[in-house]
């Protein structure tokens, strides 16, 4: 059951957020540092208020409660993070994030993912349109060991990305592909095999068929920057409809969606199934908080426009599994 949205203006307020974060973290048994949370609000001034803010949690006990902002403009969050001491801008992942952000005539926007342990956890790059993975991996800061996956990506129909991201602490990079749907068992098995993981179980795949958007969906690959090893993959169901959660969601995720505060008119919900090396797996959930996130993702489940449809058909034609 989704959380009832709170009838209050959907604008971000720092004091209210700190209270809401502590309450939600306590309910989930997640780590909490008020000092760290307050510092992120101070070090990225005005950005939480500018766009939308959402929560992220996983099915794993005691895992972090993340929060992130989505903003439409291209703000240099890398410099803000470096100034605050969260990252060293000369390190490979920071340089890669900046290289991606500067592509496509500077159109991409930088978003940030936070937790109460590290402060800044990830830098996201919204590419503002589907961008060729060939172009993204041709960026100067992309390691050769990552570029080596290009042929494999092409054979699996992984040709276009809508987002990319870097994790500054684990030294990993993320490619968020938009791929043709509806998802098939062969497709799901080929995707999880990238991380050396077994295919989704019958119950997991049944949930994917029910919740993953039919026209196209998001699929993420996490790569270790220093080695090029694919560490993890994730299959996402964006903006799931109101109503029951997937059967495979555990009690922690159910509590997260039920109790995470939301000031939007509609709580926007996303779930993902994550598969990693050694058959490690878990689920993740994302829920909107402020800024009417629904206005940004409302088209995620609708048929693509003509341009996107052509790109998706091109990706489908290259699939071989």
């Amino acid at each position: 059951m989704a959380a009832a949205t709170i009838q209050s203006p959907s604008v971000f307020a720092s004091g209210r957020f700190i209270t809401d974060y502590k309450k939600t973290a306590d309910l989930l048994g997640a780590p909490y540092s008020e000092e760290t949370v307050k510092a992120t609000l101070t070090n990225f001034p005005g950005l939480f208020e500018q766009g939308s803010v959402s929560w992220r949690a996983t099915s794993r006990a005691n895992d972090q409660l993340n929060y992130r902002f989505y903003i439409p403009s291209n703000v240099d969050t890398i410099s803000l993070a470096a100034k605050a001491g969260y990252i060293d801008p000369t390190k490979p992942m920071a340089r890669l994030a900046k290289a991606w952000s500067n592509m496509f005539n500077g159109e991409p926007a930088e978003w940030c993912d936070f937790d109460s342990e590290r402060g800044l956890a990830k830098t996201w790059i919204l590419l503002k349109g589907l961008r060729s993975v060939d172009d993204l991996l041709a960026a100067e800061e992309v390691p050769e060991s990552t570029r080596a996956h290009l042929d494999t990506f092409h054979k699996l129909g992984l040709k276009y990305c809508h987002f990319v991201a870097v994790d500054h602490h684990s030294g990993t990079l993320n490619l968020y592909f938009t791929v043709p749907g509806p998802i098939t068992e062969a497709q799901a098995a080929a995707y999880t095999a990238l991380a050396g993981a077994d295919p989704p179980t019958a119950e997991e795949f049944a949930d994917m068929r029910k919740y993953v958007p039919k026209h196209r969906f998001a699929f993420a690959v996490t790569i270790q920057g220093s080695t090029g090893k694919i560490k993890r993959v994730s299959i996402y169901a964006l903006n799931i409809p109101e109503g029951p959660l997937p059967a495979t969601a555990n009690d922690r995720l159910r509590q997260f969606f039920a109790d995470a505060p939301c000031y939007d008119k509609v709580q926007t919900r996303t779930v993902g199934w994550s598969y990693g090396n050694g058959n490690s797996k878990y689920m993740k959930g994302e829920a909107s908080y402020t800024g009417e996130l629904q206005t940004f993702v409302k088209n995620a489940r609708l048929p693509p426009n003509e341009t996107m449809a052509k790109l998706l058909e091109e990706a489908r034609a290259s699939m071989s599994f």
Side-chain angles (χ1 to χ4, degrees):
M1 180 178 178
T5 56
I6 302 165
Q7 295 304 305
S8 180
S10 187
V11 294
F12 186 87
S14 295
R16 182 177 68 181
F17 174 75
I18 290 168
T19 300
D20 288 342
Y21 186 96
K22 185 178 189 308
K23 176 184 175 182
T24 309
D26 286 346
L27 285 170
L28 297 177
Y32 173 72
S33 166
E34 184 169 322
E35 180 181 2
T36 302
V37 174
K38 283 184 175 179
T40 63
L41 306 184
T42 300
N43 290 322
F44 294 85
L47 298 187
F48 290 88
E49 294 83 358
Q50 183 184 136
S52 296
V53 176
S54 68
W55 308 102
R56 174 192 175 277
T58 77
S59 58
R60 298 182 295 197
N62 308 121
D63 223 349
Q64 289 283 346
L65 173 65
N66 294 80
Y67 51 104
R68 58 182 58 150
F69 59 68
Y70 306 84
I71 54 176
S73 57
N74 189 355
V75 176
D76 184 3
T77 65
I78 298 292
S79 294
L80 291 174
K83 181 180 179 181
Y86 291 121
I87 63 170
D88 179 345
T90 68
K91 293 294 186 182
M93 289 300 103
R95 296 201 315 268
L96 176 57
K98 182 48 63 180
W100 277 336
S101 180
N102 288 336
M103 293 181 74
F104 313 115
N105 298 315
E107 289 183 20
E110 298 175 14
W111 297 350
C112 293
D113 202 341
F114 304 90
D115 63 42
S116 72
E117 179 183 358
R118 302 171 296 180
L120 178 68
K122 271 187 178 183
T123 297
W124 291 64
I125 312 296
L126 170 66
L127 299 171
K128 295 189 178 178
L130 292 187
R131 307 294 187 173
S132 166
V133 68
D134 298 64
D135 292 340
L136 291 164
L137 296 193
E140 185 177 353
E141 300 295 343
V142 174
E144 285 296 333
S145 56
T146 295
R147 292 194 186 108
H149 294 296
L150 264 177
D151 284 347
T152 300
F153 290 158
H154 286 177
K155 291 174 183 176
L156 298 179
L158 304 175
K159 302 194 73 172
Y160 295 100
C161 296
H162 194 54
F163 297 92
V164 287
V166 302
D167 187 311
H168 297 283
H169 301 278
S170 67
T172 55
L173 59 100
N174 305 94
L175 303 172
Y176 292 84
F177 294 94
T178 298
V179 296
I183 191 169
T184 67
E185 288 186 81
Q187 188 179 23
Y191 289 171
T192 58
L194 284 171
D198 290 340
T201 65
E203 186 179 22
E204 289 162 356
F205 184 73
D207 270 350
M208 291 176 189
R209 287 287 288 184
K210 183 175 181 180
Y211 288 91
V212 170
K214 300 292 188 287
H215 301 286
R216 81 271 190 190
F217 63 94
F219 171 70
V221 177
T222 300
I223 303 172
Q224 189 68 49
S226 59
T227 65
K229 183 176 183 179
I230 294 176
K231 303 286 290 182
R232 181 165 295 281
V233 299
S234 299
I235 296 169
Y236 289 93
L238 300 178
N239 194 22
I240 63 173
E242 292 187 74
L245 290 167
T248 44
N250 70 358
D251 289 344
R252 190 175 196 260
L253 270 188
R254 293 178 186 280
Q255 183 171 36
F256 165 68
F257 282 113
D259 295 330
C262 175
Y263 298 90
D264 287 356
K265 295 183 180 69
V266 176
Q267 185 196 46
T268 300
R269 304 181 300 168
T270 288
V271 296
W273 294 263
S274 184
Y275 302 84
N277 300 162
N279 275 325
S280 64
K281 61 183 177 180
Y282 61 91
M283 285 187 68
K284 57 187 77 173
E286 301 169 16
S288 60
Y289 177 63
T290 58
E292 301 298 351
L293 181 61
Q294 185 65 208
T295 61
F296 293 95
V297 300
K298 61 185 179 182
N299 294 330
R301 307 187 74 87
L302 298 179
N305 60 34
E306 184 178 354
T307 299
M308 184 184 291
K310 289 180 179 178
L311 296 178
L312 290 172
E313 282 310 306
E314 177 192 328
R316 190 189 307 278
S318 71
M319 289 179 171
S320 177
F321 40 74

